[in-house]
Amino acid sequence: MGFISRILTLFGLVLLAHAGYSAHEHTVLYSNVRLSSASTALPHDIVIEALVSLVIVSAGLVLGTEKLKPISWSEWAGEIEREGGARNPYLRLEERYGFWDIRAKRKEFAEWVRGNDALEEAK
């Protein structure tokens, strides 16, 4: 969808630039007219062109975005863990030397608890 979204965004920006140019030309054309009957408001076709171009640009930008990440941190962290941790932005902080490896310590503790349970069952 990258190519289509870029083309859509480019087309919308061209339309928006044309609407801006048309509005500028209309303003310059009617700035010298001092008649009270002359309307200085923008014509409806320029306003509609500007609004349609904004909708097209917005649609192109939305179609070109990446998949949204989950809102809750636990789901996001779970996705990273399932993928192997390659996208983890905190990987460098977690691998600093001189700090405890929390996961290894949890594993050791779980094995210790299982060992104590096995000893109690043997009694």
Side-chain angles (χ1 to χ4, degrees):
M1 275 293 212
F3 181 72
I4 294 173
S5 66
R6 288 181 183 177
I7 293 296
L8 200 61
T9 305
L10 180 66
F11 179 68
L13 287 174
V14 168
L15 278 179
L16 187 61
H18 182 264
Y21 179 75
S22 298
H24 173 71
E25 286 296 316
H26 177 76
T27 305
V28 168
L29 182 64
Y30 285 103
S31 65
N32 295 330
V33 177
R34 301 272 179 190
L35 300 175
S36 62
S37 64
S39 174
T40 59
L42 287 176
H44 294 297
D45 62 337
I46 296 175
V47 174
I48 291 172
E49 182 182 9
L51 293 176
V52 167
S53 67
L54 285 175
V55 169
I56 291 174
V57 168
S58 298
L61 291 175
V62 167
L63 287 175
T65 59
E66 296 179 9
K67 181 183 172 191
L68 295 176
K69 294 179 178 139
I71 292 177
S72 78
W73 282 94
S74 62
E75 289 178 26
W76 179 69
E79 281 184 11
I80 289 175
E81 289 294 323
R82 284 188 293 276
E83 294 174 359
R87 289 188 310 133
N88 188 355
Y90 306 111
L91 188 61
R92 188 171 185 142
L93 293 174
E94 291 175 357
E95 293 180 348
R96 293 190 308 181
Y97 297 107
F99 286 87
W100 277 12
D101 185 5
I102 298 297
R103 292 185 180 124
K105 295 295 181 184
R106 285 181 183 170
K107 186 177 179 182
E108 288 176 17
F109 179 73
E111 291 171 359
W112 177 77
V113 169
R114 283 188 213 116
N116 283 345
D117 289 343
L119 288 175
E120 289 179 10
E121 289 177 4
K123 291 182 182 181

